[in-house]
């Protein structure tokens, strides 16, 4: 029986050209405790895209099985790292007239939804999208406007999109292993989150993921 939805359990899967990596952890106070991690040679994968579905399926299964044995847990949901499909950036904006309110999470969710609906391009599918800054009335560069008084709210959103075909084949290879994709992240973005310090994230840094 798979128990990937055990409270606090999280698993990440990175399907690369040379290796498949799977890591399983448990969310604890102050961070995540790694329970098991494994690598396996990638077969049927080129430039992050599936070239042979059966070989890719087998490689993913072996990496996941090895991580599950080390963690002593069976997983079902995974966070998938995506690096296929000729990724490109899409930048959009959205604005809403609120008429003078104290901003709450609901207001941010609504305007982010407006902006994300415009993160589209023919032949591409959005992998991830996030706010890069808010405008509260005439004040730009607001990082977190919750709790602020606002009459007109604006947001800028940056999205990463990849070609639909390669992404669908990657998902298919993962789902054939009886795994559910809970979330997708663009691989270099995940690398940046894992390696950059808070100061580097705040001041700005260029990360090259080879």
């Amino acid at each position: 029986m798979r128990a990937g939805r055990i409270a606090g359990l999280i698993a990440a899967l990175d399907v690369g050209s040379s290796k498949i990596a799977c890591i399983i952890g448990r969310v604890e106070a102050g961070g995540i405790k790694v329970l098991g991690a494994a690598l396996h040679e990638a077969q049927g994968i080129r430039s992050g895209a599936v070239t042979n579905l059966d070989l890719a399926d087998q490689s993913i299964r072996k990496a996941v099985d090895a991580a599950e044995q080390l963690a002593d847990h069976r997983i079902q949901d995974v966070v998938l790292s995506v690096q296929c499909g000729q990724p490109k950036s899409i930048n959009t904006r959205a604005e809403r007239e609120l008429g003078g309110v104290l901003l709450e999470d609901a207001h941010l969710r609504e305007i982010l939804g407006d902006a994300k609906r415009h993160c589209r391009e023919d032949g591409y599918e959005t992998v991830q999208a996030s706010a890069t800054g808010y405008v509260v009335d005439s004040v730009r560069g607001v990082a977190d406007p919750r709790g602020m008084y606002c009459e007109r709210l604006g947001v800028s959103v940056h999205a990463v999109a990849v070609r639909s075909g390669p992404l669908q084949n990657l998902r298919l290879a993962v789902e054939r292993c009886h795994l559910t994709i809970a979330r997708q992240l663009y691989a270099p973005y995940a690398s940046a989150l894992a390696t950059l310090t808070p100061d580097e994230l705040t001041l700005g840094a260029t990360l090259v993921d080879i």
Side-chain angles (χ1 to χ4, degrees):
M1 180 180 71
R2 286 186 176 270
R5 293 189 175 122
I6 295 175
L9 197 66
I10 185 169
L13 182 65
D14 182 20
V15 181
S17 300
S18 60
K19 68 180 184 301
I20 312 292
C22 180
I23 185 167
I24 302 170
R26 179 184 289 115
V27 178
E28 296 185 348
I32 297 176
K33 179 181 179 181
V34 176
L35 303 177
L39 301 176
H40 192 275
E41 179 187 0
Q43 295 183 327
I45 307 286
R46 183 177 181 181
S47 298
V50 175
T51 57
N52 185 307
L53 193 57
D54 289 334
L55 290 177
D57 175 334
Q58 294 171 20
S59 297
I60 293 170
R61 285 177 188 271
K62 289 176 180 178
V64 171
D65 287 346
E68 288 178 330
Q69 290 181 19
L70 291 170
D72 195 25
H73 283 290
R74 302 282 282 175
I75 62 171
Q76 182 172 336
D77 299 336
V78 295
V79 178
L80 179 64
S81 173
V82 176
Q83 49 188 312
C84 64
Q86 299 176 328
K88 66 186 307 182
S89 290
I90 301 176
N91 293 293
T92 63
R93 294 181 180 179
E95 290 186 352
R96 278 199 170 201
E97 195 72 46
L98 300 178
V101 297
L102 295 180
L103 292 172
E104 300 176 351
D105 286 337
H107 298 117
L108 302 192
R109 285 195 297 269
E110 289 171 358
I111 195 168
L112 283 171
D114 291 345
K116 289 177 180 179
R117 280 189 285 273
H118 293 92
C119 295
R120 296 177 180 175
E121 188 161 329
D122 289 344
Y124 281 79
E125 186 170 341
T126 300
V127 174
Q128 65 179 60
S130 57
T132 57
Y134 292 90
V135 179
V136 178
D137 297 327
S138 60
V139 180
R140 297 182 176 275
V142 178
D144 185 353
R146 287 175 294 183
M148 296 177 67
Y149 176 85
C150 177
E151 294 187 358
R152 186 174 184 82
L153 178 65
V155 66
S156 296
V157 166
H158 172 261
V160 178
V162 300
R163 290 196 176 277
S164 301
L167 180 60
Q168 292 295 340
N169 285 323
L170 178 60
R171 285 177 180 159
L172 183 58
V174 174
E175 290 167 354
R176 279 176 45 151
C177 300
H178 306 290
L179 296 169
T180 300
I181 300 170
R183 187 182 177 190
Q184 302 170 145
L185 283 177
Y186 179 47
Y189 178 75
S191 297
L193 292 179
T195 58
L196 297 179
T197 66
D199 281 348
E200 289 170 335
L201 289 170
T202 301
L203 296 173
T206 298
L207 181 140
V208 181
D209 187 358
I210 302 177

